[in-house]
Amino acid sequence: MLMKENEKPQFEKAIHPSIAGLKISDTLAINELSKKLIAEGKKIYRFGLGQSPFPVPDVVVNALRLYAPQKDYLPVKGLPALQNAVAEFHLKRHGELSTAKRYDWSGFKRTAVSNSIGF
């Protein structure tokens, strides 16, 4: 059966309107442009890494299995255990911060992390 000139293919009719107007992904656009330029005889160097040939380490797979159900956002002030670990680190390294509870962590996190990595 032939389609009429302005008729959409059947699969396009089945696409939900909320996604029908989405643009092509940047990755696909780059790949299509690369193929076009190669077909035109241009030399293209493709630096995309693609799929890794290496297996995912078991420790990563197991950690993902263990923590996948924990999908909720963390508390705004951070994890208490992490707050205490950062405070203890700074206490040992700089003689500062006796406990995490003494500080308003909302402004401290960035400073603590910056100091920890040498900024």
Side-chain angles (χ1 to χ4, degrees):
M1 174 179 201
L2 293 174
M3 289 181 6
K4 296 178 185 167
E5 188 174 324
N6 292 326
E7 187 179 15
K8 290 185 175 184
Q10 188 65 33
F11 71 88
E12 286 189 20
K13 293 177 185 176
I15 295 175
H16 193 275
S18 66
I19 62 169
L22 293 177
K23 68 179 187 103
I24 189 170
S25 77
D26 291 338
T27 303
L28 291 176
I30 289 169
N31 286 337
E32 287 182 9
L33 178 59
S34 296
K35 287 178 187 177
K36 178 182 175 280
L37 294 172
I38 290 168
E40 293 173 3
K42 300 215 165 97
K43 181 72 174 168
I44 302 296
Y45 295 93
R46 301 174 84 181
F47 292 109
L49 297 176
Q51 186 173 338
S52 172
F54 306 107
V56 178
D58 288 339
V59 67
V60 174
V61 172
N62 293 334
L64 285 170
R65 274 194 197 111
L66 181 64
Y67 293 105
Q70 296 181 18
K71 59 180 179 35
D72 298 330
Y73 286 109
L74 295 176
V76 172
K77 288 190 172 190
L79 298 172
L82 181 58
Q83 292 173 351
N84 287 322
V86 170
E88 290 301 318
F89 168 84
H90 281 280
L91 174 64
K92 289 176 183 171
R93 186 161 189 186
H94 306 289
E96 301 172 2
L97 309 178
S98 58
T99 67
K101 294 177 182 149
R102 288 183 48 209
Y103 298 92
D104 174 10
W105 283 87
S106 59
F108 179 74
K109 283 187 234 177
R110 186 181 60 199
T111 304
V113 171
S114 295
N115 289 341
S116 297
I117 57 177
F119 288 110

